[in-house]
Amino acid sequence: MPPEEIEIIGKIEKLWSGAANSKVLLGIGDDTAVIRPPRAGEEVLLTTDQVIENTHFVRRTHPPRALGHKILARGLSDIAAMGGRPVCFLLSLALPQWSVGAWLNAFLSGAYDLSQSTEIPLVGGDIARGERFAAAITVVGSAPAGKALTRAGARPGDVLYVSGQLGGSALGLARLRKLSGAARASRDNAVRRYLWPDPRLRLGVFLRAKMGATSAMDLSDGLAMDLARLTKASGVGAEIQAAQVPLFPGASLSQALHGGEDYELLFTLPKKVHPPRTFRKLPLTAIGRIRARPGIDLVSETGIQKLRPQGYEHFRG
Ligand SMILES: [Mg+2]
């Protein structure tokens, strides 16, 4: 291994050396990590995700610290969507020459800060030279056996909810593309929403443990596309009230329906369950209902139209 790579690994080991939780018996630095099996009656959740330069982001507009935050946030958001608790993560990097140094340090500190605030240690990974920057992450989590929230449990009559406000990330990306100078852009709320998503970990656990949610998923590709996945997995259809969709300030309905990367939770509750209006200041909004008939209808003042997914280009700024 070239001396430069040994140095980078040393830096990563040092950064995470103090980080551990009660489930990690042996962290970064050995041939493998050793983690305790989940508590009796729990199951293991696994999710992986990758971020590739010029496919998922461009260097010119995406600050490296935000990118490090986002790759971990996306993995944690998937654990949140299952109503799980994250345990630890692994991170592998392909590094072109330009990325080594200040850029990589900022990327790592973005991931480190989120891992500290959520108490999820890095327990392993790999680095190699690459033509383009790429990062692959695996997050390990756990949930009580048979209780993880899946996409397949929505039933006709259930009420459909979303957390937070939608469309902020798409609005932020549009603004980021227009603005020059990351420092100026980062003061904009929508740009911040796009760059620094907040995984809804506590909400996921709350929906599973306290609300008896029948299904859940995180909104990564936009409400239209993600709801189509949820209804397909559950073998049902849905009806959405356009006027009920909570819009991020300044975002259009189209950005809320089709813009990706909001990382809010989309979930269903039986009709008799009444969730609080907010959870830790995060609004929980009923936007429609699940029905037996397949397809998704968008109901608005002007009538009923079919809601069809449009493609979303992932955080390519
Ligand atoms: Mg997901």
Side-chain angles (χ1 to χ4, degrees):
M1 183 176 278
E4 200 175 39
E5 287 178 22
I6 292 168
E7 200 188 309
I8 294 166
I9 290 173
K11 201 183 289 173
I12 293 172
E13 279 181 15
K14 200 170 152 222
L15 197 55
W16 268 278
S17 62
N21 64 29
S22 58
K23 290 172 187 160
V24 177
L25 300 170
L26 184 61
I28 195 167
D30 214 305
D31 290 310
T32 81
V34 179
I35 64 172
R36 222 182 275 280
R39 271 179 281 179
E42 288 207 342
E43 291 166 345
V44 178
L45 309 179
L46 295 167
T47 179
T48 191
D49 195 24
Q50 59 183 335
V51 164
I52 299 167
E53 184 190 359
N54 296 338
T55 300
H56 301 102
F57 77 100
V58 290
R59 227 193 315 163
R60 189 176 55 80
T61 50
H62 215 113
R65 186 181 280 265
L67 192 67
H69 170 94
K70 190 182 272 193
I71 188 167
L72 179 55
R74 281 156 55 110
L76 294 177
S77 180
D78 281 329
I79 299 288
M82 305 299 286
R85 289 194 172 86
V87 173
C88 59
F89 73 107
L90 301 114
L91 181 65
S92 291
L93 303 171
L95 301 170
Q97 187 57 48
W98 64 259
S99 70
V100 176
W103 193 94
L104 180 62
N105 292 345
F107 173 87
L108 291 172
S109 68
Y112 178 75
D113 288 347
L114 182 58
S115 83
Q116 283 297 92
S117 64
T118 53
E119 297 175 10
I120 319 303
L122 176 73
V123 298
D126 188 30
I127 61 167
R129 280 275 150 202
E131 296 283 308
R132 283 195 280 170
F133 177 83
I137 193 170
T138 298
V139 182
V140 180
S142 69
K147 300 283 195 229
L149 299 175
T150 71
R151 301 172 179 189
R155 293 293 168 257
D158 285 354
V159 179
L160 185 65
Y161 292 83
V162 290
S163 65
Q165 297 165 316
L166 306 185
S169 194
L171 175 66
L173 176 56
R175 285 184 179 164
L176 190 63
R177 280 171 169 156
K178 276 187 210 146
L179 295 169
S180 58
R184 205 173 106 210
S186 67
R187 281 199 289 272
D188 181 280
N189 278 341
V191 171
R192 286 192 59 79
R193 192 78 183 73
Y194 164 73
L195 291 175
W196 302 92
D198 190 5
R200 305 306 189 193
L201 287 163
R202 287 198 174 97
L203 176 61
V205 170
F206 174 74
L207 294 175
R208 168 179 58 72
K210 306 286 185 202
M211 290 287 107
T214 48
S215 71
M217 67 182 298
D218 65 327
L219 289 171
S220 55
D221 293 315
L223 179 62
M225 190 175 289
D226 289 328
L227 179 57
R229 291 174 174 140
L230 186 141
T231 50
K232 190 173 176 221
S234 294
V236 296
E239 215 174 80
I240 294 179
Q241 301 294 325
Q244 302 300 317
V245 176
L247 303 181
F248 191 92
S252 65
L253 179 63
S254 172
Q255 282 171 324
L257 295 174
H258 302 291
E261 296 207 277
D262 280 321
Y263 299 107
E264 293 296 348
L265 296 186
L266 173 68
F267 58 96
T268 54
L269 299 179
K271 210 164 143 189
K272 63 178 193 300
V273 176
H274 299 284
R277 294 167 70 94
T278 60
F279 176 78
R280 293 175 171 256
K281 295 186 183 158
L282 189 67
L284 306 179
T285 310
I287 59 166
R289 65 178 190 93
I290 299 294
R291 66 174 189 211
R293 184 160 55 87
I296 301 167
D297 286 339
L298 182 68
V299 183
S300 66
E301 283 174 351
T302 53
I304 299 175
Q305 59 192 103
K306 290 262 165 272
L307 183 62
R308 291 205 173 81
Q310 296 169 6
Y312 176 74
E313 209 183 345
H314 261 273
F315 65 104
R316 186 166 180 165

